[in-house]
Amino acid sequence: MAEIVFLGSGGGRFQMVGQYFKTGGFRIHTGVNVHVDPGPGALLLTHQYGLNPLELDGIVVTHSHPDHYTDAEVLIEAMTKHSTKKRGALVCSESVINGVGDYGPAVSKYHQRKPEKLAILNPGEKFRLNNLEMEAVKAKHSDPTTFGLILRTDEGTIGYTSDTQYFEGIAKYYEGVRILIANVTRPLSMRIPWHLCSDDLIKMLTEIKPELVVMIHMGMMFLKHEPKMEAARITSETNVETIPGQVGLRVNMGKEIKINRPIRQPVLEEFARLKLEIFSGAE
Ligand SMILES: [Zn+2]
């Protein structure tokens, strides 16, 4: 059984500061435990949703934007048992480790040395952690070293777009995935540079047919365009089951895919709706 636990479904500068949908990334548990893109709140949400940061075996940071990396160092300290044991793997884009142009480095040299393994992935390169194989795939984002991720488990493949804009051929990287985790920053066709909007996802889903799509990294416009309604629209236009991510959402991938929503809606998501009137249109 492979399990994905979502620790947020928000992204972009405004959601990151507002924390309406949270920005802790997600964890995958499949014999090994890996935290992907631990943005602000990742450590706190790990505890709040009953997970143990000391049980991590790997941390992936796909690029040097703070909604994806801020909690990486504290999770490295957890993964290495409070920095007392050289263990686990840190898997990153080039910018996160060395800095590229104006981006990164996002993890200090001190923390880069703590894990047992450090891997910088470029598109097409793979890294194996026991029975989990990770492959970086092309993304087109403002940090030029950003990668999307293919996660191959014994139960099947999971795709994660990370932050990218739509480009010709993007869908083929995700061919055959059972679950697609899509960073959809804007609803409808409200496209902005470097990011996907819902209609870009619809275009991808004309070429690939995962069993389930989970939308995350949703920006401020999703406070106006209810994520559930957008997901329903995508489902009806593509015949691919699409759901909005949500902090605490668990998806289990065995023979079948099972969706377990958290029992209680986080208070802040309700609060977010009340703030619609003062919101004036940023991503
Ligand atoms: Zn980004």
Side-chain angles (χ1 to χ4, degrees):
M1 179 75 76
E3 178 186 50
I4 310 165
V5 186
F6 291 88
L7 294 174
S9 59
R13 289 167 290 160
F14 295 84
Q15 277 281 351
M16 180 181 72
V17 173
Q19 287 295 304
Y20 309 113
F21 295 160
K22 308 290 196 301
T23 51
F26 62 89
R27 275 182 45 158
I28 172 161
H29 305 143
T30 177
V32 289
N33 303 322
V34 176
H35 199 131
V36 179
D37 280 352
L43 175 67
L44 190 58
L45 293 162
T46 296
H47 289 296
Q48 283 181 346
Y49 285 87
L51 305 172
N52 188 348
L54 296 166
E55 290 173 356
L56 285 177
D57 304 295
I59 297 164
V60 179
V61 184
T62 61
H63 65 289
S64 291
H65 281 154
D67 48 343
H68 296 253
Y69 74 66
T70 58
D71 280 11
E73 290 175 347
V74 288
L75 290 180
I76 289 168
E77 297 206 9
M79 181 172 74
T80 57
K81 311 289 183 198
H82 311 283
S83 302
T84 63
K85 286 199 167 66
K86 209 160 173 65
R87 65 178 298 279
L90 176 63
V91 179
C92 296
S93 73
E94 171 84 32
S95 64
V96 173
I97 299 304
N98 296 324
V100 171
D102 288 345
Y103 299 102
V107 172
S108 73
K109 287 220 160 55
Y110 170 84
H111 290 96
Q112 290 180 24
R113 278 195 285 270
K114 291 292 168 190
E116 190 183 359
K117 289 175 189 154
L118 172 65
I120 295 174
L121 291 189
N122 295 299
E125 291 175 349
K126 293 174 186 171
F127 181 81
R128 178 169 280 280
L129 202 54
N130 296 348
N131 58 341
L132 174 67
E133 184 186 79
M134 297 179 250
E135 180 180 349
V137 297
K138 181 179 167 182
K140 208 170 170 194
H141 194 45
S142 44
D143 172 347
T145 67
T146 306
F147 57 75
L149 201 57
I150 301 293
L151 298 149
R152 295 190 181 92
T153 77
D154 294 341
E155 285 77 23
T157 303
I158 298 160
Y160 169 52
T161 64
S162 187
D163 288 359
T164 181
Q165 66 185 48
Y166 184 87
F167 58 90
E168 206 55 54
I170 186 175
K172 79 172 191 306
Y173 293 108
Y174 300 96
E175 246 163 38
V177 302
R178 294 189 64 193
I179 298 173
L180 178 67
I181 302 167
N183 286 17
V184 182
T185 304
R186 285 289 194 94
L188 307 169
S189 60
M190 301 170 83
R191 202 166 281 111
I192 47 167
W194 308 121
H195 292 281
L196 295 173
C197 65
S198 299
D199 283 3
D200 293 329
L201 174 61
I202 288 172
K203 210 148 92 180
M204 288 174 70
L205 296 178
T206 59
E207 292 179 53
I208 50 169
K209 297 289 172 200
E211 291 164 55
L212 178 71
V213 175
V214 184
M215 297 160 68
I216 62 169
H217 202 279
M218 290 181 283
M220 293 297 270
M221 285 294 177
F222 280 95
L223 299 183
K224 282 187 175 173
H225 299 275
E226 174 77 25
K228 256 187 235 162
M229 302 299 287
E230 265 299 85
R233 182 177 76 86
I234 295 165
T235 302
S236 80
E237 291 198 17
T238 62
N239 276 325
V240 176
E241 186 183 4
T242 303
I243 60 170
Q246 166 184 8
V247 64
L249 171 73
R250 289 173 184 250
V251 175
N252 291 307
M253 184 171 76
K255 244 189 187 148
E256 288 170 22
I257 290 173
K258 294 202 175 98
I259 298 163
N260 299 306
R261 293 206 172 275
I263 294 156
R264 203 161 53 86
Q265 281 281 337
V267 176
L268 270 179
E269 286 194 25
E270 289 307 313
F271 175 66
R273 291 181 226 302
L274 302 175
K275 295 200 54 160
L276 284 181
E277 278 118 58
I278 58 162
F279 160 63
S280 60
E283 84 270 21

